[in-house]
Amino acid sequence: MLFNSSIRKELARTYAATLVVLLTIVITVMLIRTLSMASKGSVSPQDVMIVLGYVMLGYMPFLLSLALFITIVFVLSRMYRDSEMIIWQSAGAGLPRLIKPIMLFSWPIVAGIAVLMLFVWPWTNSQITNIGLQFQQRSEISRIQPGQFQLSTSGKHVVFIEQQSKAQNEVEYPQGKNVFLYTNDIENNKRSITTAQTAHVETRDSDRFLVLTNGQQLEFNNTTQMRTLLTFDTYAALITDGKAITNPNQKAKELSTETLLMDPTAPNMGELSWRLGLILGTINLILIAIPLGHANPRTGRNTNLLYALLTFVIYFNLINLGQSWISSGKYSLLPVMLVIHGTMFAIALFFMLKRQNGWVLFPWLSVRRARQKSGKSTSAAQKDKDATSAAPKAKKRLGGWGPLYTVRRLFYAEIASAIMLVALGFLALFFFFDFIEDMGDMGRKGYQFHHVVVRSLFLVPGHLYELMPIVVLIGTIFVLSRMAQSSEFTILRTSGLSPSRALKLLAGVGLAGAILTFLLGDVINPAVNRLSNQFMEKFYLSQGHFESTIKTLRAAWLKDRDDQYSYAVSVFQTSDNALVNINLYAFNSDNQLVTWTSAPTGTINDNGTWTLENATRSTLVDPGTPEAHIEDLQEQNIVWKNNLASEVVSIATQKDNGMSIWALYRYIGHLTDNAQDANSFSFLLWQKILYPFSCLVMVMLALPFAYLHFRSGGISTKVFGGIMIGISFVVINSMFGHLGQLNHWPPFISAGAPSLIYLIASLATFTWLVRNR
């Protein structure tokens, strides 16, 4: 009875702490992503918390399962390291006796996972989809910002309103001047270019119209090749209507479990295998955790957790692989479930019996290791003697810096290993989440399992860049807290490690983290993003889906000007210098369309020109007169001199997806020269510059934990408190940035204020602890 209750109590405490840490980290990253989408206009700011709640509710089964697995392994490893398990085993409580208390503790969690996967999981997915559909129905005009090309969620309209001065911006938006409206009516096979001097919004019977005044419209009929030029005093363009948007094509993950059973198609059975697989996988992981929790007190502290993490990732990737096999129709539901989960159950049972009975898998290997160990021990005394005699010489060679060199090596090795372990854990977790999100596209247009894996791997550097400050904080706090608890740091202080030297040592850790973060954000992540785009382009082109390739590239809308005209350019960039679907519109000083050029392909030259191949140039002759007409000129190559370098087009195509600091600086200059809004990119530039130094702030936040007295409380409580402080910094830093963009705060203040505030607070706390405690 005492055995069962003590284990269940410790499991409950550890599970609560583990789950809270995982939830906090995941909520932080998801909140940052959602706020980023809101600042760009992809999600309504009013729906941020609703979407975040649905996303977290959908991820809850995975977090519950992972937290339970880690908890069991951690608690059992702790009991083995402290020789507590040896005492219980000597009293007759072997590994089979562990199954009952662990299962009694775990069954409510497994039941909760079952309810979430079978009923809540499809509901959250359908709600997120409905929110996206409802957002498409909202006013497109309300998301337009002066100086920016705004693409409607339906992809039908592109609107640009010229950047205005402060006095003009005080007028209630969305009134503006020098308006450019591009409309692509796919249903009627028409497209039009409309320009006007002013514009405002009107609501008519729940429909939203953009009303333009004093302008002209050029309409292209793609079927008849007819072109119509109109001039108008007032023109109303329908942007959004009041019709309800429905979701006619529901994905399998949005269907209820009852619907999956009633309609046993291959995709539906694949989704059912995923839902049942997570439930069965959690039970198998509980059994696997019992033998995996065995630890040798003389080995490393984190070995078992590393094995547990790898086991979790491999197992659930096998479940995903089984889902892909079933969804593609290669295998049926029952054989795949039996092979995957039956095999894992057999493995768990085998290792449990192995631990209980002391089986040796490779006896000859164990004998060889024992002989090697005995051979080495014969010369151990001689080695100790040699090391003792060489110690004075080493000290003399290092001079007065010998002890500090040893301490530096101790600090850096311990912190580096802890940071690597924490980073590996979080990257595996987010790789798993990305894998799940991308599984919905598998089986469509040739998209297979290995494509999902490769795309998820391409996202790893970006996740590491986002998580680097948190990883540095958790790793540093863990090492310093453990050293303080075991009195190692006290011994170092009495040996001459002054606070200033400790500060310098940790500053070196923070500087190394800052350099790595800079390389990730400015070198590695942009290169990986380019490889990811090239990978998807090659995949779609190899499958013959050119339209899908264009959709993944996204059209770049750019502005440029020279002494005579201003230009609006629509283009797709397939590589660094290759362009497709080029449309070039030239306007005079009165914002009237004068000439337009289209070309199927083109290249960006090194001398600041574009070569448009097989281009057609159309010119409006004698506008505003009865003799007005359009003249066409077909040319094999047209050379257009401009300021749109390859880097500028690439940034406009990818937006802020992995841009370097130099690329951002050049793009901001381009936007400023063309009277476009550069506020969001200016903030992004300052964030890119200052974000690596967040690692320095994190180690400064961790330093006071080395000077705390850990006899007054558990180490886990204080470590968790430090982690929460670091996470609050990340959240506040992100919120400052996105709120700064929404409210047009100065970019330097939005990006740098949180770091400065936390740095001052951490140094003040450190100074107070050193002086008073």
Side-chain angles (χ1 to χ4, degrees), residues 62-123:
F62 320 120
L63 296 177
L64 291 175
S65 179
L66 177 60
L68 179 61
F69 184 49
I70 292 177
T71 297
I72 297 173
V73 174
F74 183 82
V75 169
L76 295 181
S77 299
R78 200 278 308 163
M79 295 175 68
Y80 276 107
R81 287 197 304 269
D82 295 344
S83 300
E84 184 177 337
M85 186 58 68
I86 297 176
I87 298 174
W88 286 115
Q89 289 176 348
S90 63
L95 282 181
R97 287 282 302 273
L98 289 171
I99 298 177
K100 182 179 179 180
I102 291 177
M103 283 299 180
L104 286 175
F105 168 78
S106 303
W107 79 260
I109 301 173
V110 176
I113 293 173
V115 171
L116 289 171
M117 286 304 299
L118 296 178
F119 303 103
V120 180
W121 164 258
W123 178 76

Side-chain angles (χ1 to χ4, degrees), residues 187-204:
E187 297 178 357
N188 298 317
N189 204 18
K190 295 180 181 180
R191 57 190 177 95
S192 62
I193 302 293
T194 307
T195 59
Q197 294 183 2
T198 59
H200 65 277
V201 174
E202 291 184 4
T203 303
R204 305 174 184 176

